[in-house]
Amino acid sequence: MEYEIKCPKCGRSSARILDSKCSCGSPLETHLHFNFEKKNILKRKYSLWRYVSFFPYVNKKEIVSLGEGWTPLIKFSDNLYFKLDNLNPTGSFKDRGSTVLISAVHKPLKRAGGYISEDSSGNAGASIAAYAARAGLKAEIYVPESVSGPKLSQIKFYGAEVVKVSGSRCRVAEEAQKSEKRKFYVGHILHPLFRDGIRSVAYELAEEFGWRLPDLIYLPVSAGTLLLGVIKGFRHLEKSGLIDIFPEIIACQTRQVSPLYHRFKGLSYTQPKRITSIADALVSVDPPLLDLMIKNLKEADGNTVIVEEEEIFNAFTKLARKGFFIEPSSAVAYAAYEKQLETKEISKNDKAVIVLTGNGLKSKLRPTLRINA
Ligand SMILES: [Zn+2]
């Protein structure tokens, strides 16, 4: 058996690729029972699918691709690098999860005459909508009533049906999961294959850095798919004997939305009444994968940092003025890097990489009076 999809809570394995949860209610996890072997990289394929052998549940002939992954690695300053995942087809790293998930499920879904349902406030909804369109699948994207702006337009232009739900973010997820005839919930947060697609970031970084990873890796963290996916990818490389040193993973959050930070540091967290942060892709105040995130970040000997609104805005502006137009949510990771430099937790000699997760055109921010950097 090359892989297994199992429940981390009750240990039951799931045979159905369309399941996003265990029957006990817990999220599922994929387990890989093979090594990463360099010779199996398709070196002349310049997308995530150069790693097709490492996603054994995807049939090579059934890949649904828009040219995602294999994003550039750029040297920003002496020891700081950016991984430009904002350059993915729909403008966010989520395309890694969507291409893997939709490639694996589109045939069985079509055989069942089904359509997909997903809940998202933005980037993941747009990404799933795009890959569903590419696969010729109908998609229903459940969004909070308050959602507006470029991401909502993007979802609609891809042809997905948008269902607005009033109330909290949890209510949106509930509605999306409500069973209806022929509806298959493939929520990006819960479905194990979406998360599994994200491990490609780790493979790419290892290849791009010549298999000698930097000391520090900064990731913005909300629902946890990026964090869990990246850790899993590095673990796989480590187990396969391809990397000696596991980089320090720094999970970056906003003060408003920082359940991971607080739990990790043993502090109590109070959810904000309303999220007003400019980092509007980071909204998971009560992420269903929090336990998994804490466990993985601890085992990986990682760390976590929170940043203030002003720090995010300054980081966003600073990057834009160097030519990097990214979502404020991605600037959270750069703000965290700068903060750790300032507090001397790290030094300029530490080699670091920041994953830039989303395109600046997705932001609702307008260049008004606040720009004075
Ligand atoms: Zn279970």
Side-chain angles (χ1 to χ4, degrees):
M1 193 176 9
E2 283 192 291
Y3 73 96
E4 206 178 350
I5 299 177
K6 256 177 34 179
C7 172
K9 225 174 211 162
C10 74
R12 213 170 304 165
S13 51
S14 158
R16 291 180 310 180
I17 205 127
L18 288 167
D19 284 349
S20 39
K21 276 200 288 196
C22 176
S23 48
C24 79
S26 160
L28 293 161
E29 271 189 308
T30 49
H31 296 262
L32 310 173
H33 302 311
F34 58 90
N35 277 343
F36 186 105
E37 290 187 56
K38 288 184 194 174
K39 66 173 170 42
N40 290 335
I41 300 171
L42 302 181
K43 291 235 162 68
R44 298 185 62 187
K45 191 133 199 121
Y46 304 107
S47 78
L48 175 153
W49 293 108
R50 64 199 281 107
Y51 307 115
V52 65
S53 325
F54 312 117
F55 294 93
Y57 45 79
V58 173
N59 181 329
K60 288 185 174 93
K61 294 193 177 107
E62 295 174 0
I63 290 171
V64 179
S65 176
L66 292 164
E68 56 294 312
W70 201 235
T71 55
L73 181 77
I74 291 255
K75 190 173 188 172
F76 181 67
S77 55
D78 280 350
N79 281 311
L80 178 60
Y81 294 78
F82 290 158
K83 173 75 172 153
L84 303 185
D85 254 32
N86 54 319
L87 299 184
N88 274 300
T90 77
S92 92
F93 79 96
K94 301 268 160 88
D95 294 343
R96 297 177 181 276
S98 301
T99 189
V100 168
L101 170 67
I102 300 294
S103 295
V105 302
H106 72 112
K107 287 279 177 188
L109 255 163
K110 278 181 190 158
R111 278 196 292 275
Y115 67 93
I116 56 178
S117 143
E118 147 82 329
D119 57 307
S120 160
S121 55
N123 283 332
S127 181
I128 292 279
Y131 284 84
R134 181 82 173 111
L137 275 175
K138 184 189 158 197
E140 252 179 28
I141 311 291
Y142 289 72
V143 300
E145 203 171 38
S146 58
V147 135
S148 66
K151 292 176 191 172
L152 182 64
S153 304
Q154 199 184 358
I155 294 172
K156 288 182 171 170
F157 276 123
Y158 287 131
E161 198 175 307
V162 172
V163 184
K164 288 196 172 183
V165 181
S166 59
S168 68
R169 181 66 184 80
C170 290
R171 279 264 307 126
V172 182
E174 276 166 30
E175 283 299 313
Q177 291 179 57
K178 233 181 221 169
S179 74
E180 265 165 60
K181 208 174 167 191
R182 293 205 294 275
K183 173 165 117 177
F184 289 89
Y185 177 69
V186 294
H188 71 283
I189 297 169
L190 289 180
H191 202 291
L193 299 190
F194 185 97
R195 245 178 293 142
D196 201 47
I198 311 291
R199 69 184 148 87
S200 55
V201 178
Y203 300 158
E204 288 179 21
L205 284 173
E207 256 200 279
E208 289 168 324
F209 278 110
W211 308 95
R212 296 170 67 104
L213 288 161
D215 309 302
L216 301 156
I217 304 213
Y218 288 81
L219 309 168
V221 174
S222 181
T225 55
L226 181 63
L227 178 72
L228 291 170
V230 167
I231 291 178
K232 192 164 173 203
F234 287 139
R235 278 259 177 270
H236 191 212
L237 295 175
E238 190 184 41
K239 267 193 195 153
S240 308
L242 292 174
I243 54 168
D244 297 332
I245 298 161
F246 202 95
E248 185 175 344
I249 310 278
I250 315 285
C252 313
Q253 300 204 297
T254 66
R255 176 167 293 279
Q256 282 185 21
V257 182
S258 46
L260 172 75
Y261 171 87
H262 282 86
R263 172 90 74 87
F264 194 85
K265 303 273 183 195
L267 306 165
S268 71
Y269 172 63
T270 316
Q271 297 182 11
K273 282 204 183 73
R274 214 165 64 86
I275 301 165
T276 53
S277 174
I278 57 167
D280 61 5
L282 310 181
V283 293
S284 302
V285 286
D286 185 18
L289 302 176
L290 186 57
D291 290 346
L292 267 183
M293 286 193 261
I294 295 284
K295 179 174 173 275
N296 277 274
L297 192 60
K298 284 205 166 137
E299 283 172 2
D301 229 349
N303 200 358
T304 165
V305 178
I306 47 171
V307 290
E308 310 297 333
E309 282 308 297
E310 185 147 358
E311 292 169 323
I312 304 167
F313 188 78
N314 289 341
F316 166 76
T317 311
K318 192 167 164 190
L319 288 179
R321 291 185 176 203
K322 299 263 185 205
F324 295 88
F325 192 45
I326 55 161
E327 271 199 281
S329 303
S330 314
V332 165
Y334 181 60
Y337 170 80
E338 295 255 284
K339 189 172 196 163
Q340 284 203 308
L341 269 185
E342 212 171 283
T343 54
K344 302 209 162 43
E345 277 170 86
I346 59 165
S347 98
K348 278 209 158 139
N349 297 324
D350 295 323
K351 203 168 168 182
V353 60
I354 298 175
V355 179
L356 300 183
T357 47
N359 189 313
L361 294 171
K362 283 167 171 278
S363 169
K364 283 185 258 182
L365 278 189
R366 292 288 167 264
T368 50
L369 298 172
R370 277 191 69 193
I371 296 182
N372 51 11

